[in-house]
């Protein structure tokens, strides 16, 4: 079975291969009456778009989204969601499938090639087919719709580490995130990363990254115990992004090293009419799978891109020894362009849980 | 909405509160014809059972499971699954609800108390009600059923770190895991942890832990792209366990610090009739969300138990300032007894994905 | 795969066999704060309970329900739902499994025996095991919970026809329904049916029935196009009841014989602040899968009980010729006791759709 | 919530409005390796296509399907499914939205207009938007894919009654079904219906119809008790088709009028290596929700098209009195073109259940 749908009440289904004619998403369950046109989606796709700096793949894709259904100009002339499924399509325009002829029958180490063949016995090898991170464009488009469902939430997402070189939180400036090709909030780190990523790219190698995502404005009470906990759904959402190998909520692994009294987030009465004031946020805004009203904090590790120019030992589909060097055009650090994808998945999970909460608790 | 069901084809639903009359699980979709009686489940519950050493809570629960449906003595006299839902029930016998009267109206920092009240407006405060880790007994029982579906798989689960003190992999001895109260494969660490946990318990504090889980024998091809990836489902399964704050697959966060050529798992031809031989397993046995045939490796961080004797600032349900000291009986390190739960969730996810794979790929 | 869960947001899972120790339901997703104790459920089980007249099976079951989880005495002392799963259990007390030894290896014509064996290769033959209509006790219990979610709705359910003998709608008196063993609103029909059913019972034969269900108070707007239409979900709910072979909404099959102008439900302005006044209800309260505010009308056909004393040709599990005469204790007309089940399923579908509507449309 | 996905393991999601740019379906979970190109789908769309006779709407739509993902030319050059989602798109080319300006603010009696507005507060009124039967083109396309999953099954679907005028089963000739514009197996009925439908069309009125669907070759054992019974899933599938008001399985309502001994399908030993030979098929091939190996028989009632030229009393969106006469182009008998839709839904349900069965029973 293949499961290309994500979400519980607000659900989206994506389709498309890296080198097929197009890819897309169908967003189902969206509330009616939200203002939505292509211009509301495009900026998020532009943030993820390839070919915009030398630090990302040189594949040129306009990534223009079209809305094919689910919207209508209401009484005031504004195009709005109607509550019916929203079909989003992005055409592929810069496929160079010939780049992939060499790997038609060779399995790239670290890639899904072998696993797909083992599962399905057939695979669209061009650019990795369905396993390509190109699929995440559809998630970003869907995420732009999800944001409209949670206007009370602000999401900040940034790269906090590349190749083991972390930002200095003392330099944190949210305003910088959109000003550099790394989604980096620390101008000092930007300078180091320019050289780090460029050197790596020239070496034909690749680097991993850590991405952090913080959502503020989430009220207390979203989440669905015990198997659709807000953190469990976030973990699934993030771990399902291409190249992600680890997810932390709040203190994450560090929580395993704290003592109970240090990890507990003490509370005191908040302002009149507000929830409690928390004195810390080790929990990352989630307790018992339910939001506490504090910022929801998530951290995600991306492995280095598996497509590298450095030759690696492998086998071909006949089971024979071979050596693979992945030509084509690739991101030297897939975590960078993963940043808008992490943000989209956060928006999708929160929107879904807002609606889930409303279903049960009115 | 509340979502107390986990799984896609092999699904289980759990119910019950910490201090209610009983708790249980309904396992649905289990293949017919598998030999199953209470004796096949009890050892796993016994491994998780409280009160067996001074390093765990002193609550005394026999945790005797009863099978109420879904089995029948087939032609050979062996009791077997019939393909209908398997109802498992465990009675609670040692509730001391009066211990909790103090916290009826005070929110324990780090606990789900406040979040549940914010969501539902009503909460069974006795022992944390539904948010108690006692619910995981039902998962362990369900996991015992799941194991029968994947007899080809062997799962090894152990605590690799308590309170920041890690085992030495050079001392790793799987045979030790069942021989000490910490599920620890390193006898040297056992000695240190005895003192560490005991001291902590005496301080009225608590410790976090890291649990590792390795499943061997998983064939290549299980997993369901792109939103029910094997690793995404594992991430949800593990993050949904009480007190878990982080999940890694394979190299996990460390993958973000490796270069592409180091992280790629090279392959060479395997033995005749076998899949490839991998030269490393940074991927943790999963690529593109599909198993590769290598061991599936997962690492989980448990925060320190939130129930501690050290007073913490908090508020009560009227929003007033208070101080909370959680009496009752608690695990000084909830990660220890989380170990059989991690193993159960691994079994459940693998069994589900084996069946999912069979649905699509025959 | 076995699917013992019904519902989308308000979901219930049932378990149990006819002659096992117990059967039950887990109701998940119920809103918090609803007053619920056993006394709120028992009357509905009593209505369905066997052995209360000579027109139903003589099996004696108290059908006492126990609530094992999901409720707690709130601040006002009233036991209320907490939003966590509600586990309901009914013990079986009058199993006479020896009655079934003869059919252990013979397939009763019209029964699920052969189909279960063909599917699962093993089957609990005692009383039909899981395929017994005894399972519907769990649905009735779950339905009693669902009613609490839709207090604005009134459901009236009655038998309109037994063995081809229909009530006269001119005699319709809703007050009669609870006053006779047939759930019949027509006192004249009651008299005829007493003889009809009793004669049939003495013949060792059985009769079919038609049950009608009308829900008033359903506001316009419930329903979920296009694959969870309110009528599609009702059709699944009703067709899934044991022995049901047909479902109609509103005009049903008769609609196929009307012309467009006769079948259209004309509207005129309703009272101030109300929806339209409809001049007819051929649609049965549902248009495009969404409720219109008119009464939701459903009609269900039950086949005659397959368990009869009249010998029928069949085969045994070895594939050899045999003759089957089903002794045991059986309903001469299973549709009668199906009436509270139809009502329960209507309540469950409406409650689910109320919550679904709230999720999307706030 | 909106639920535009159907199926459990083989799932499809449809999108699109009657007068939007396009409509489509995403089929997810399809087994890999099945030969699939547009030519395998187009004939089924052509059978449903409007404008091919004077007995259907005059809207001219080529209904050309494009496959946008999920297929790849395998080693033998044949385009095959890869196990990834199959995106199917059909462009709308003959929208005449101006026909609908009059009904922008008036609710057509019998239509979903009022219900959609009551639910969503906004609606694409052009041609009924999402509630239009045009959506069923996407189901027919998805059904063509489903057929590939169940090559062992043969499905025969035909109109058995129009406007109360039924075929004579003595004249049944399956070869005739594709030879007339009514999907009618009785040449005598064809002659009568030509006049009946044409007269009705000239009157500006419409007629209902009954469609029957018989699937042979379904092995014993498909179906999923107790809430995804094969008949319950069929009931949902059929009742969810636009204009359907009733569904029968096998003997249907007539079963309510038979006695137990007459309704039971007796069995005798079948040929060597085969299942039993059944002496009747009152059950319509399904017992206990599981297929018996007999033909699966389903009967569906379509109401007369609600779009008629005869004026009907109604209200407008301001709640004021008005009269509606639906101009546009409409089918005088929507049941005729519903025939390929019924067949597609049968294929989809059977394919899904074949895969579900494989998941649990191997």
């Amino acid at each position: 079975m293949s499961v290309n749908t994500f979400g519980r009440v607000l659900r989206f289904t994506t389709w498309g291969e890296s080198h097929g004619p197009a890819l897309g998403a169908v967003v189902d369950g969206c509330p009616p009456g939200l203002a939505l046109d292509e211009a509301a989606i495009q900026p998020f796709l532009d943030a993820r778009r390839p070919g915009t700096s030398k630090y990302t793949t040189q594949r040129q894709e306009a990534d223009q989204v079209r809305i094919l259904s689910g919207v209508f100009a209401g009484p005031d002339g504004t195009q709005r969601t109607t509550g019916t499924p929203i079909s989003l399509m992005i055409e592929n325009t810069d496929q160079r499938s010939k780049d992939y002829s060499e790997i038609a029958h060779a399995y790239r180490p670290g890639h899904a090639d072998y696993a797909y063949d083992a599962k399905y016995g057939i695979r669209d090898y061009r650019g990795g087919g369905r396993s390509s991170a190109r699929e995440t464009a559809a998630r970003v488009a869907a995420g732009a719709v999800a944001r409209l469902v949670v206007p009370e939430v602000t999401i900040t997402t940034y790269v906090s580490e590349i190749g083991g070189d972390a930002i200095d939180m003392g330099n944190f400036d949210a305003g910088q995130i959109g000003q550099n090709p790394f989604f980096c909030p620390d101008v000092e780190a930007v300078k180091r990363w320019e050289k780090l990523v460029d050197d790596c790219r020239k070496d034909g190698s690749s680097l991993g990254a850590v991405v952090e995502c913080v959502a503020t404005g989430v009220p207390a009470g979203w989440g669905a115990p015990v198997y659709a906990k807000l953190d469990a759904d976030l973990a699934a959402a993030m771990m399902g992004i291409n190249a992600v190998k680890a997810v932390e909520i709040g203190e994450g692994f560090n929580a395993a090293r704290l003592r109970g009294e240090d990890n507990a987030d003490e509370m005191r009465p908040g302002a009149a009419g507000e929830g409690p004031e928390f004195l810390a946020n080790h929990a990352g805004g989630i307790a018992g799978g339910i939001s506490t009203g504090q910022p929801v904090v998530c951290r995600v590790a991306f492995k280095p891109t598996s497509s590298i120019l450095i030759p690696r030992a492998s086998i071909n589909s006949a089971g024979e020894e071979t050596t693979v060097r992945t030509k084509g055009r690739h991101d030297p650090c897939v975590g960078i362009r993963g940043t808008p994808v992490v943000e989209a998945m956060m928006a999708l999970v929160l929107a879904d849980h807002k609606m889930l909460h409303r279903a049960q608790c009115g």
Side-chain angles (χ1 to χ4, degrees), chain A residues 20-84:
Chain A
L23 52 89
V26 182
V27 181
D28 196 11
C30 185
L34 305 174
L36 175 68
D37 57 13
E38 278 88 352
I41 300 174
Q42 198 59 49
F44 300 99
L45 283 170
D46 290 347
R48 185 203 155 279
R49 194 153 64 85
T52 53
S53 82
K54 66 180 171 182
Y55 309 109
T56 63
T57 173
Q58 295 309 297
R59 180 168 170 173
Q60 296 293 332
E61 288 288 352
D63 278 354
Q64 289 293 322
V65 67
R66 278 187 70 200
I67 303 177
L68 296 176
S69 67
V71 293
F72 193 64
D76 65 354
T78 307
Q79 184 169 283
R80 292 183 185 278
T81 58
T82 59
T84 64

Side-chain angles (χ1 to χ4, degrees), chain A residues 61-287:
Chain A
E61 288 288 352
D63 278 354
Q64 289 293 322
V65 67
R66 278 187 70 200
I67 303 177
L68 296 176
S69 67
V71 293
F72 193 64
D76 65 354
T78 307
Q79 184 169 283
R80 292 183 185 278
T81 58
T82 59
T84 64
I86 301 164
S87 178
L88 306 170
M89 185 167 72
I90 300 161
E91 289 185 62
N92 288 324
T93 58
D94 186 29
Q95 308 99 311
R96 287 199 207 150
S97 303
K98 65 177 159 36
D99 287 350
Y100 294 92
S101 53
E102 282 180 40
I103 57 147
H105 301 295
Y107 299 130
R108 294 168 298 169
H111 262 291
D113 302 345
Y114 169 70
Y116 265 72
D117 247 16
K119 184 174 191 69
Y120 295 120
I122 178 175
R123 119 190 107 91
D124 179 349
Y125 53 79
R126 301 166 306 164
R130 181 74 181 149
S131 73
S132 166
R134 183 138 185 75
E135 183 270 343
T136 61
R139 305 190 204 195
V140 169
V145 177
R147 285 166 183 277
L148 304 176
V149 180
V150 285
E152 64 272 59
V153 174
T154 303
I155 310 176
T156 306
T157 317
Y158 51 91
V159 178
S160 66
E161 187 180 321
I162 290 183
D165 180 6
I167 60 170
D168 178 344
M169 287 304 283
N171 293 339
F172 188 95
D173 176 359
Q176 288 296 321
I177 297 170
Q179 306 301 317
N180 62 73
F182 303 110
F183 301 103
C184 179
D186 169 0
V187 283
E188 296 304 316
V190 170
K191 292 176 204 161
R192 301 193 306 269
W193 292 356
E194 284 172 348
K195 177 165 168 42
L196 180 67
V197 178
D198 202 37
D199 287 354
C200 177
R201 184 179 62 78
K202 287 174 186 159
D203 293 346
S205 181
S206 62
L207 295 166
V210 175
V211 174
E212 298 191 5
C213 182
V214 179
T216 57
V218 178
W222 293 359
V226 296
Y227 298 116
K229 286 178 174 170
L230 185 54
D231 39 0
D233 276 8
L234 280 173
M238 300 304 170
M239 194 68 91
I241 299 173
N242 307 50
V244 169
K245 301 303 288 183
V247 182
E248 294 185 319
I249 301 293
E251 203 65 56
F253 271 96
N254 196 42
R257 286 127 206 175
L258 295 177
R259 288 172 74 97
E261 62 273 26
D262 298 323
N263 189 60
D265 297 324
E266 293 184 293
M267 290 174 264
R268 63 182 175 207
E274 306 261 310
E277 185 189 339
F278 286 89
L279 308 186
N281 188 16
H282 299 286
I286 304 174

